Amino acid sequence: MITPGDPQGPALSPDDIDDLARRARDGDRDALEDLLGAIRPRVLNICRGVLPYSSDAEDACQEAMLNVATKIDSWGGRGRFTTWLHVVAVNSARSTYRRLKNLATPIDTDVFGHDRPDPRTTSVIAGTRLDLLEAMETIERDHPQFVDPLLLRDVYGLPYDEIAELVDVPLGTVKAQIHHGRKLVRPLLRGDA
């Protein structure tokens, strides 16, 4: 059995991770355990890239790992497993952010007399990832097709061709979605909206 989580052992190559993922997807329980051990540090780093607090990132990582374990059969195997993993981890981090945001905002504004906070003024530090998450939430309401390509390109730096393969749209469409997404996000990050 491979011990990918062992800090003394060598890191697995992308090909090794793809092989583990294929075997895990095909029902090999040992391969799934090895895969989860190998990818956990990567998933945690992705979640930390979105959520500024370690405990929140840990929660998102746990959710992402559960999603990988239960939904690995949705990975088509056409592209790198790690590219699919990025989307799973980012979505888990965004889901955790939404859940925490909803818990922190009073729902009974009539009873408590609270207004919803302005996300541009309530971020921990102006210009943080929280501002970006708020902007993504805003554009997702009217233009959901721009969110994942924009996050995958501008936050995680994935190449356009990998994004196109991952979201299953032509390369030119992905480039256009990212371009239009940037146009929508800029005023939100500046506070113009």
Side-chain angles (χ1 to χ4, degrees):
M1 193 191 269
I2 301 171
T3 55
D6 180 8
Q8 309 302 324
L12 295 178
S13 73
D15 289 336
D16 291 336
I17 291 174
D18 286 351
D19 180 56
L20 276 176
R22 279 188 195 87
R23 291 184 6 231
R25 184 188 61 197
D26 294 340
D28 183 336
R29 307 274 299 152
D30 289 336
L32 179 61
E33 289 300 318
D34 290 343
L35 177 67
L36 294 174
I39 64 172
R40 188 179 189 292
R42 179 187 297 253
V43 171
L44 184 56
N45 283 336
I46 293 167
C47 293
R48 283 181 178 150
V50 176
L51 298 165
Y53 297 107
S54 292
S55 61
D56 297 343
E58 288 280 348
D59 288 347
C61 178
Q62 190 70 15
E63 179 183 327
M65 297 296 286
L66 181 61
N67 286 335
V68 168
T70 59
K71 299 176 183 176
I72 194 165
D73 57 336
S74 68
W75 172 56
R78 290 179 296 149
R80 286 275 184 210
F81 175 78
T82 52
T83 303
W84 178 82
L85 180 66
H86 261 86
V87 173
V88 171
V90 167
N91 287 341
S92 293
R94 291 179 64 218
S95 172
T96 298
Y97 171 75
R98 282 187 204 109
R99 186 178 67 251
L100 293 171
K101 178 181 161 191
N102 289 337
L103 288 173
T105 304
I107 297 171
D108 288 348
T109 56
D110 295 337
V111 174
F112 298 110
H114 296 282
D115 293 331
R116 281 192 171 280
D118 181 348
R120 293 181 306 258
T121 60
T122 56
S123 293
V124 178
I125 302 168
T128 66
R129 293 172 294 229
L130 297 179
D131 293 329
L132 178 62
L133 288 173
E134 286 294 333
M136 291 294 130
E137 294 288 315
T138 300
I139 67 167
E140 187 171 39
R141 285 183 220 127
D142 295 323
H143 307 286
Q145 72 275 19
F146 299 151
V147 175
D148 284 340
L150 188 59
L151 282 172
L152 292 171
R153 179 65 186 159
D154 288 355
V155 175
Y156 292 101
L158 291 181
Y160 291 107
D161 58 337
E162 280 187 40
I163 297 168
E165 187 174 324
L166 189 62
V167 298
D168 198 27
V169 298
L171 181 61
T173 302
V174 164
K175 288 181 178 182
Q177 287 175 336
I178 292 168
H179 174 74
H180 291 299
R182 286 173 179 158
K183 281 179 148 178
L184 293 170
V185 166
R186 279 186 199 113
L188 296 171
L189 293 176
R190 287 192 309 249
D192 297 347

